[in-house]
Amino acid sequence: MQLNGSQIFVEVLCEQGVDTLFGYPGGAVLNLYDELYKNADRITHVLTAHEQGAAHAADGYARATGRTGVVLATSGPGATNLVTGIATAYMDSVPMVAFTGNIPTAGLGTDGFQEAYIEGITMPITKHNFTVRKVEDLADTMRAAFRIAQSGRKGPVLVDIPKDVTAAVCEFTPKQPEKIRTVTTYNAEQVKWAADIINAAERPLVYFGGGVRSAASCQPLRDLIHKAEIPATYTLMAAGVVPYGDPMNIGMIGMHGCYTANRAVADCDVLIALGTRFSDRVALNPKTFAKNATIIQIDIDPSELGKNVDVDLAISGDAAYVLGGMLPLIEEKKHPDWMKMIHEWQAQDYHPVSDASRLMPHQVIGEVCNQCGPEAVYVTDVGQHQMWAAQYIRHAKSRGFITSGGLGTMGFGYGAAIGAQMALGRDQRVVMFTGDGSFHMNLNEACTAVSYELPIITVIFNNQVLGMVRQWQTAFYGKRFSQTDPHRKTDFVKLAEGFGLKGYRCTNLAEFQTAFAEALKNKGPTWIECMIDKDEKVLPMIPGGGDINDIIMK
């Protein structure tokens, strides 16, 4: 059948199972938006306040579901406003397809109005990107974009579509979505070798990252650690994969990880690294990281194997299939002496002291968990509040904690919360933790939450400073607080009302308990401002370049 480019655009989106699209219109994509208007019963379009918010929303949608998030922006500044969101998804291996408009093909390269070479701009932060120059190529290019986003190590793909392509006509043939090829192969000899090493270990430890967040990877990991009694530590990106309270879960590793996890890495004799890349926030000193251990690394991306830390055995493959092949070779075993050491270290972990007369982050987060129950989804911005959330939330499911890890994008949270809420439905409880510094970055997306009546509860830790940077200035820069006290006078309660949502301010735990209980009853979005001390720190902390011997506990 004969269709124009805009009709093909919508048909392929529907073909790929897209039900929600985040975006912002503009001249170069008006043909696409006209067709989306005609197909509003097939695809829900969510209009955000800013293209960056739309990109983060597509990201949050993907993280909450495992499906591909989709974002659409116009040319020039619309396209460049997506860059931070695309880079965020790239660093955390999130499947996303970003569509941008551009000026007509005949004018490309002439510096036309709102022209930007977005293909070149995004080349380093996408798995692949395309500029469609002929309408005949549009359908298959879009299909390739969705396939690439979900194949192997997942990530974002960009498709740039000049305006004349959206109007041109060609023959269109519908196709069934191509089945994503799963990496099922692995080196069986290496897997046997790994199993032998694990079976001989006296102090084994599993260290896993965001690469095992999918349901397929979670269960084999849990089976491994319970079959062979192997304690497990995780990165920020993998919170929730092994449930809170599981006896094999010894907590988060890294700069703000717990003492036990970091000490276990230093003392283990075998380290099994699954779906993780030994980032500089975990392997703070690559030369001393797990220096006493035989290191086995399993990752779907061969380029990550041995990249940051020298490993003894590198296995390329999907963690679910590699572990599936390894599990029958793993002996059922107990490690009583090793577990005794783990328990002794846990007694030395940092535990904040509670104070009912003032608001303390761990108390606020604990109360949120108490009132929300185990099925809530938590989203964070970036900063101290992010680390407190990672430390104190009682995670219950693998996709229940959404945060920007690799890029550390301040302003990520509200857009991502909107995407998660749209993906999961209004009956799903979504709570966003932020700080006053991060929140100022993209709080304009409040209007989006209001417009779509999304019941997102935003908990704002307001210490009136840029807390994480101030903490570093306190520890390493002689308390020279350069530009970390912005002297802002923002009244979040009044601002909330101005956006059309409900706002609360709390100064002690009792006030917060009441405010949060009321927020749970609201049909639309709610902000709860929590006044905390500007010198409240994220502890423990290992300085960059350090190791367990450099840990700061007070």
Side-chain angles (χ1 to χ4, degrees):
M1 56 183 157
Q2 293 282 309
L3 297 180
N4 66 37
S6 299
Q7 293 170 320
I8 291 171
F9 177 79
V10 170
E11 291 304 318
V12 175
L13 289 181
C14 293
E15 180 184 288
Q16 296 295 320
V18 175
D19 57 14
T20 305
L21 175 73
F22 304 89
Y24 204 99
V29 289
L30 281 180
N31 292 336
L32 300 178
Y33 270 88
D34 191 51
E35 200 60 35
L36 286 168
Y37 178 88
K38 298 172 187 175
N39 289 272
D41 60 329
R42 302 169 73 191
I43 298 175
T44 298
H45 182 281
V46 179
L47 174 66
T48 56
H50 189 284
E51 291 91 352
Q52 183 178 338
H56 292 324
D59 183 315
Y61 179 100
R63 295 187 200 229
T65 63
R67 298 171 61 192
T68 304
V70 183
V71 60
L72 171 63
T74 193
S75 61
T80 58
N81 281 344
L82 296 179
V83 169
T84 299
I86 294 171
T88 301
Y90 182 74
M91 289 289 281
D92 289 344
S93 304
V94 177
M96 180 200 300
V97 176
F99 293 101
T100 54
N102 216 325
I103 67 172
T105 52
L108 291 174
T110 66
D111 294 333
F113 177 67
Q114 290 196 333
E115 179 187 2
Y117 180 36
I118 196 63
E119 182 182 351
I121 291 168
T122 59
M123 192 174 293
I125 55 168
T126 53
K127 284 188 71 179
H128 199 78
N129 56 20
F130 304 88
T131 297
V132 182
R133 295 177 182 270
K134 296 189 300 182
V135 69
E136 291 83 1
D137 297 333
L138 178 59
D140 283 343
T141 300
M142 291 177 64
R143 291 164 180 150
F146 279 93
R147 183 185 70 250
I148 293 167
Q150 284 282 1
S151 298
R153 182 177 182 172
K154 304 180 194 309
V157 179
L158 180 130
V159 181
D160 192 37
I161 311 173
K163 189 170 184 178
D164 58 317
V165 173
T166 67
V169 176
C170 74
E171 185 68 20
F172 172 74
T173 303
K175 291 184 179 179
Q176 288 294 317
E178 188 176 341
K179 188 174 182 180
I180 302 299
R181 293 181 184 176
T182 305
V183 182
T184 60
T185 59
Y186 53 84
N187 186 311
E189 215 172 278
Q190 287 185 318
V191 169
K192 172 67 167 61
W193 182 15
D196 290 342
I197 294 171
I198 294 168
N199 289 335
E202 295 181 1
R203 301 185 306 280
L205 181 69
V206 167
Y207 146 55
F208 62 91
V212 296
R213 287 189 74 176
S214 69
S217 298
C218 291
Q219 195 53 52
L221 165 61
R222 295 168 186 161
D223 292 343
L224 171 67
I225 62 177
H226 288 116
K227 183 176 184 179
E229 195 179 49
I230 305 175
T233 180
Y234 55 87
T235 69
L236 177 69
M237 297 306 303
V241 169
V242 175
Y244 174 88
D246 188 304
M248 293 298 103
N249 181 347
I250 63 169
M252 188 172 70
I253 190 176
M255 178 174 284
H256 293 294
C258 65
Y259 173 80
T260 298
N262 284 296
R263 180 66 189 270
V265 167
D267 284 28
C268 67
D269 62 358
V270 171
L271 181 69
I272 307 112
L274 299 171
T276 187
R277 57 191 176 87
F278 296 89
S279 81
D280 62 341
R281 282 297 185 266
V282 171
L284 295 110
N285 186 337
K287 293 181 180 179
T288 62
F289 187 80
K291 66 179 181 180
N292 299 313
T294 298
I295 301 177
I296 302 167
Q297 185 181 8
I298 301 169
D299 203 282
I300 199 167
D301 184 352
S303 69
E304 291 293 352
L305 296 172
K307 184 177 81 174
N308 295 325
V309 168
D310 292 333
V311 301
D312 299 284
L313 176 57
I315 302 175
S316 176
D318 185 300
Y321 290 93
V322 174
L323 290 179
M326 186 185 296
L327 274 166
L329 308 175
I330 296 294
E331 299 171 358
E332 289 193 30
K333 203 169 183 181
K334 298 291 183 183
H335 298 95
D337 293 339
W338 179 225
M339 293 307 299
K340 181 182 178 184
M341 291 172 67
I342 296 287
H343 295 148
E344 288 174 355
W345 293 333
Q346 286 175 327
Q348 301 174 52
D349 277 336
Y350 174 80
H351 297 288
V353 178
S354 298
D355 184 348
S357 67
R358 63 188 182 96
L359 272 179
M360 302 184 72
H362 72 283
Q363 292 174 295
V364 170
I365 294 166
E367 185 59 31
V368 171
C369 293
N370 289 340
Q371 294 200 32
C372 283
E375 292 304 311
V377 170
Y378 301 101
V379 184
T380 82
D381 264 321
V382 170
Q384 286 182 309
H385 66 274
Q386 176 191 31
M387 294 297 107
W388 287 322
Q391 291 173 334
Y392 300 125
I393 288 174
R394 299 192 287 276
H395 306 285
K397 51 187 178 181
S398 63
R399 295 192 181 277
F401 185 69
I402 297 172
T403 194
S404 169
L407 198 64
T409 305
M410 292 176 72
F412 166 81
Y414 218 164
I418 288 167
Q421 191 79 77
M422 289 298 302
L424 301 173
R426 288 167 178 78
D427 291 336
Q428 171 64 57
R429 175 57 59 196
V430 175
V431 179
M432 202 268 278
F433 291 103
T434 187
D436 56 304
S438 252
F439 200 42
H440 272 105
M441 293 271 187
N442 273 334
L443 59 76
N444 53 326
E445 292 303 337
C447 65
T448 308
V450 169
S451 295
Y452 292 88
E453 296 185 317
L454 303 178
I456 300 165
I457 300 176
T458 301
V459 178
I460 308 164
F461 289 110
N462 187 359
N463 54 9
Q464 300 182 307
V465 294
L466 304 182
M468 187 62 87
V469 187
R470 180 187 171 90
Q471 180 171 332
W472 278 63
Q473 289 173 334
T474 300
F476 310 118
Y477 291 87
K479 297 187 177 181
R480 295 183 294 278
F481 300 126
S482 177
Q483 302 306 312
T484 48
D485 186 348
H487 303 288
R488 291 173 180 149
K489 305 297 181 185
T490 307
D491 186 323
F492 286 107
V493 174
K494 289 182 179 178
L495 187 58
E497 293 170 357
F499 272 115
L501 55 88
K502 182 66 176 175
Y504 302 86
R505 180 178 295 111
C506 306
T507 59
N508 58 52
L509 187 59
E511 290 175 352
F512 180 78
Q513 289 170 327
T514 300
F516 197 84
E518 291 181 11
L520 288 172
K521 301 173 186 175
N522 293 341
K523 293 183 178 180
T526 307
W527 293 0
I528 305 177
E529 180 184 22
C530 299
M531 307 305 297
I532 65 170
D533 191 284
K534 64 184 178 182
D535 290 316
E536 197 75 56
K537 293 180 177 62
V538 180
L539 294 173
M541 177 182 181
I542 300 176
D547 56 31
I548 188 63
N549 298 309
D550 305 300
I551 194 166
I552 299 169
M553 299 282 279
K554 60 181 180 178

